[in-house]
Amino acid sequence: MRVRNLGILAHVDAGKTTLTERILFRTGTTHKRGEVHDGTTVTDFDPQERDRGITIFAAAVSCDWADHRLNLIDTPGHVDFSDEVERSLRVLDGAVAVFDGVAGVEPQSEAVWRAADRYSVPRIAFVNKLDRAGASLSAAVASIEARLEVVPLVVQLPLGEESAFHGVVDLVGMRTLTWADGELSESPEVPPEAFAARRALEEAVAGLHPDALEEWGDMSDATLRKALRDLTIGGEAVVVLCGSAYRDKGVEPLLDAIVDYLPAPAGDPSAELTALVFKVHTARTGRLTHLRVYDGTITKGDTVWDAGAGRTERVARILRIQADRHTEIDRATAGDIVAVAGVKAAQVGATLATRRHAVLLEAPRITDPLVSVAVEARTGLDAQRLPAALAALAEEDPSLTVRVDAETGQTLLSGLGELHLEVAVEKLRQRTGLAVTMGRPLVAYRETVRRGVTGVLYRHVKQDGGAGQFAHVVLDVQPGDGFTFSSTVTGGRVPAEYIRAVEAGCREALAAGPLGAHPVAGLRVTLTDGQTHPKDSSEMAFRVAGKLGLREALRACGMEVLEPVAEVAVSAPAETLGAVLGDLAARRGQVTDSGVRTVTAIVPLAELFGYSTRLLSRTHGRGSFTSRPAGYRPAA
């Protein structure tokens, strides 16, 4: 059976999970429609997801359509769980991006779209909720074209507007599809405006695809369909469909489009094994390691090689995932997405291979934490169990980090946002039964170089009996992007292995800056000169010199503290907009755009804790907002 591996991507509340539920229902995988508001969905099976009404954890399901097996991953839409989307995108071959027919492209839908760009994942777009008041396919498509900077190819014409929406015209097959009580009816008759829409589609495709250009004026359905597939896979355009998932309208043609336009997984089942771990889940029954098989075949009982860690792992069982249910299978081959039991230590991003063919695959990107909270156990017994429980959380979600504050002794849990940390701590309580408290969130500040220095000399000399230590380095430090290290030393004055040691020492020095012991970023370090001793120089000595030398250089630099900021989009009644603007100003927000009912502003992340409650108060319960990380700026 042919396969499609795809994700469902969107901003929160655009209808991803509802669409996934309708796909499962229409393919016969489930026999009852799951509803988010009732807590009866297949993919949002975690108690917190059902309580909060949002997707938190990426969930995989499988279904069959038109002789194809579709492996779907329903991904989170909230910005705090964007790394869960990143890890899913790393192993997918395609995606369906869902957009609200009223709101169009929203902040998080743009963020996940850019993430899909990074991994070159082909996408098709589904404009959802066309039955809502104010919904407009043309407006949504215009926002896709403007904000995502892509060429949209609209292959359907909606029939009826808002609550009167009842079907679409398929411009590729030139047929009318209507739904009544969720049942599909098809007719070869199309309205007159469909012919002009078909010509516009052909013209757009002919301008991008040479085979379609040859048939311009008399393009066959087969040529058009092939051109749409080629353009989708090549990333040159995005096919756009529409519907209303909640009302069961538009699901079947979307399934056809998934089969027709999204790529099949590449790979050779007979080649050497190559698989990537993208998710780790610790259940009561044991540890499950989710992986994508790129090449080769993995069989129950196999011993595999963790190429990055340099150790063997044994695959005790192989499981086909259906949300929170598992079906045991004997083997998985190239293109499969499965979970395995028995793998004890492989982390997210690990490559599982054969020892004789130990390649390393690119790991998913992990975002640096932005917010921290202190986590404390209420009893001495719970305090003994807490470190292991937190380590298990961080193993499952690499965007969580755990550390002990050297000054206060508090255990700090860091993540991508306030909700991210709330969910993690609640998960800890539910899973382990630990009684823990969570402190007030604190943002992750950074320090950066505003004005650099040159020629900072540092000499590390230590003589305490036996072999001594000697290292002499000269460093230039200038503002930069991230952290870069280079050497201009000539004549072999510092051997290559010592230069690498200096760089390693410099990286260690970045952990704590001179202003507030915050991590340092945004600098360029150059080793310009150095000196060695014939007996006392070593890699360790130069590593220490690099670390202490950069610390001294940073104290001489002009430094400044940076704080994380977020782009906030607020929707509120017109009569309350003045109060919203005043509140944003009090939170040190910088307004970038303002309309009749909407405001967009850049606001320090520290000022957004508890903002939802404040906004509801200022707007009499009628305001809402979304946010996404917008980098760092100098702290006020």
Side-chain angles (χ1 to χ4, degrees):
M1 181 178 287
R2 290 170 289 183
V3 175
R4 296 288 185 271
N5 293 321
L6 66 141
I8 310 295
L9 314 174
H11 186 91
V12 65
D13 288 335
K16 291 180 293 69
T17 300
T18 298
L19 177 61
T20 303
E21 292 296 321
R22 297 303 185 265
I23 287 174
L24 294 177
F25 180 74
R26 284 296 156 199
T27 57
T29 307
T30 59
H31 303 289
K32 184 180 179 181
R33 299 173 180 85
E35 304 294 354
V36 173
H37 54 271
D38 292 334
T40 57
T41 59
V42 172
T43 53
D44 285 356
F45 57 84
D46 185 272
Q48 289 200 75
E49 293 178 310
R50 294 185 169 178
D51 289 345
R52 298 174 187 269
I54 61 171
T55 300
I56 296 172
F57 310 108
V61 291
S62 294
C63 57
D64 296 336
W65 183 260
D67 296 324
H68 286 69
R69 184 174 74 244
L70 309 184
N71 297 321
L72 281 75
I73 297 183
D74 179 22
T75 65
H78 195 285
V79 65
D80 279 19
F81 308 103
S82 56
D83 263 32
E84 190 88 2
V85 183
E86 288 266 351
R87 294 192 288 275
S88 299
L89 283 169
R90 175 61 187 84
V91 298
L92 293 172
D93 302 303
V96 175
V98 183
F99 300 95
D100 187 309
V102 177
V105 177
E106 298 172 273
Q108 184 60 7
S109 51
E110 183 175 355
V112 297
W113 188 275
R114 301 303 180 200
D117 282 341
R118 285 195 293 273
Y119 295 109
S120 300
V121 176
R123 280 140 282 171
I124 56 179
F126 182 74
V127 178
N128 193 24
K129 300 187 179 183
L130 281 193
D131 58 322
R132 286 183 59 200
S136 167
L137 176 62
S138 59
V141 170
S143 72
I144 290 172
E145 184 173 21
R147 295 195 60 176
L148 303 182
E149 300 172 332
V150 296
V151 179
L153 298 174
V154 182
V155 298
Q156 292 178 338
L157 192 67
L159 298 174
E161 296 180 351
E162 301 180 346
S163 61
F165 171 72
H166 62 282
V168 299
V169 177
D170 172 14
L171 298 177
V172 179
M174 290 305 283
R175 54 182 182 151
T176 296
L177 306 174
T178 56
W179 288 267
D181 298 323
E183 296 303 316
L184 171 64
S185 298
E186 181 178 338
S187 169
E189 301 296 325
V190 297
E193 60 267 27
F195 295 100
R198 165 70 181 233
R199 284 194 298 273
L201 174 62
E202 289 183 6
E203 183 177 0
V205 171
L208 298 169
H209 195 281
D211 292 345
L213 181 60
E214 290 182 5
E215 292 190 17
W216 168 237
D218 188 23
M219 194 179 300
S220 68
D221 294 353
T223 297
L224 178 57
R225 189 171 281 108
K226 180 182 182 302
L228 290 170
R229 176 180 173 82
D230 292 343
L231 294 171
T232 298
I233 294 174
E236 299 166 78
V238 177
V239 170
V240 181
L241 300 96
C242 61
S244 169
Y246 182 68
R247 302 294 180 191
D248 265 321
K249 297 173 182 177
V251 178
E252 295 92 339
L254 175 62
L255 286 164
D256 290 336
I258 289 170
V259 169
D260 289 343
Y261 306 132
L262 292 181
D268 181 0
S270 63
E272 296 280 358
L273 175 67
T274 308
L276 181 70
V277 175
F278 70 96
K279 185 180 177 73
V280 172
H281 177 64
T282 304
R284 292 180 179 178
T285 54
R287 186 184 197 262
L288 291 180
T289 304
H290 296 243
L291 51 89
R292 160 71 187 269
V293 182
Y294 284 93
D295 269 320
T297 299
I298 188 169
T299 306
K300 182 170 66 174
D302 278 354
T303 297
V304 298
W305 181 251
D306 184 334
R311 59 173 170 250
T312 58
E313 296 273 13
R314 185 177 179 276
V315 177
R317 293 186 299 151
I318 304 174
L319 306 170
R320 183 85 65 197
I321 304 298
Q322 195 74 359
D324 58 341
R325 298 184 178 89
H326 314 130
T327 303
E328 192 163 343
I329 57 178
D330 292 330
R331 69 184 64 237
T333 63
D336 279 337
I337 295 177
V338 295
V340 296
V343 174
K344 299 183 182 302
Q347 302 295 308
V348 170
T351 301
L352 301 183
T354 59
R355 194 163 190 167
R356 62 180 175 270
H357 185 68
V359 300
L360 279 174
L361 298 174
E362 178 190 2
R365 191 189 74 160
I366 298 173
T367 306
D368 291 334
L370 297 173
V371 181
S372 300
V373 292
V375 180
E376 297 180 350
R378 292 180 179 173
T379 68
L381 182 61
D382 284 350
Q384 295 176 20
R385 297 169 54 204
L386 182 60
L390 288 171
L393 271 184
E395 181 183 50
E396 290 190 10
D397 184 352
S399 58
L400 292 170
T401 62
V402 182
R403 65 182 177 88
V404 176
D405 187 280
E407 294 184 2
T408 65
Q410 289 181 306
T411 298
L412 299 180
L413 179 65
S414 303
L416 302 184
E418 191 174 7
L419 179 60
H420 187 207
L421 295 174
E422 286 178 8
V423 166
V425 171
E426 185 58 32
K427 184 178 181 179
L428 181 75
R429 293 176 180 136
Q430 292 176 355
R431 175 183 292 177
T432 65
L434 290 174
V436 295
T437 59
M438 186 173 73
R440 185 181 184 277
L442 300 171
V443 299
Y445 292 96
R446 296 283 187 269
E447 296 180 29
T448 192
V449 175
R450 187 182 69 253
R451 184 187 68 255
V453 295
T454 59
V456 175
L457 184 152
Y458 187 84
R459 184 183 293 260
H460 174 63
V461 180
K462 187 175 182 183
Q463 291 289 345
D464 52 4
Q469 294 184 24
F470 179 91
H472 172 111
V473 297
V474 180
L475 301 175
D476 289 353
V477 179
Q478 297 296 332
D481 184 15
F483 170 74
T484 58
F485 179 89
S486 61
S487 171
T488 59
V489 177
T490 58
R493 290 178 60 80
V494 180
E497 61 270 23
Y498 293 172
I499 293 175
R500 290 192 293 270
V502 174
E503 179 179 359
C506 289
R507 290 186 181 276
E508 290 180 12
L510 300 178
L515 298 181
H518 308 299
V520 180
L523 71 163
R524 185 175 71 253
V525 178
T526 306
L527 176 65
T528 61
D529 199 3
Q531 185 179 342
T532 63
H533 186 278
K535 292 183 179 180
D536 293 344
S537 289
S538 64
E539 289 186 34
M540 177 59 71
F542 273 89
R543 184 168 186 151
V544 172
K547 179 179 180 178
L548 300 182
L550 181 54
R551 283 184 177 175
E552 186 170 301
L554 291 176
R555 285 192 289 269
C557 287
M559 302 289 292
E560 66 181 351
V561 175
L562 303 176
E563 63 180 342
V565 295
E567 181 186 71
V568 179
V570 183
S571 297
E575 64 271 18
T576 66
L577 217 54
V580 169
L581 288 167
D583 189 47
L584 288 173
R587 294 172 186 270
R588 298 186 288 129
Q590 295 180 355
V591 174
T592 58
D593 189 29
S594 180
V596 177
R597 295 174 52 89
T598 61
V599 177
T600 303
I602 302 297
V603 184
L605 189 59
E607 302 287 354
L608 289 178
F609 299 138
Y611 180 60
S612 57
T613 302
R614 182 69 170 176
L615 178 64
L616 290 173
S617 173
R618 290 293 180 104
T619 61
H620 312 296
R622 298 163 64 192
S624 63
F625 80 100
T626 60
S627 67
R628 63 171 178 173
Y632 282 80
R633 73 178 184 189

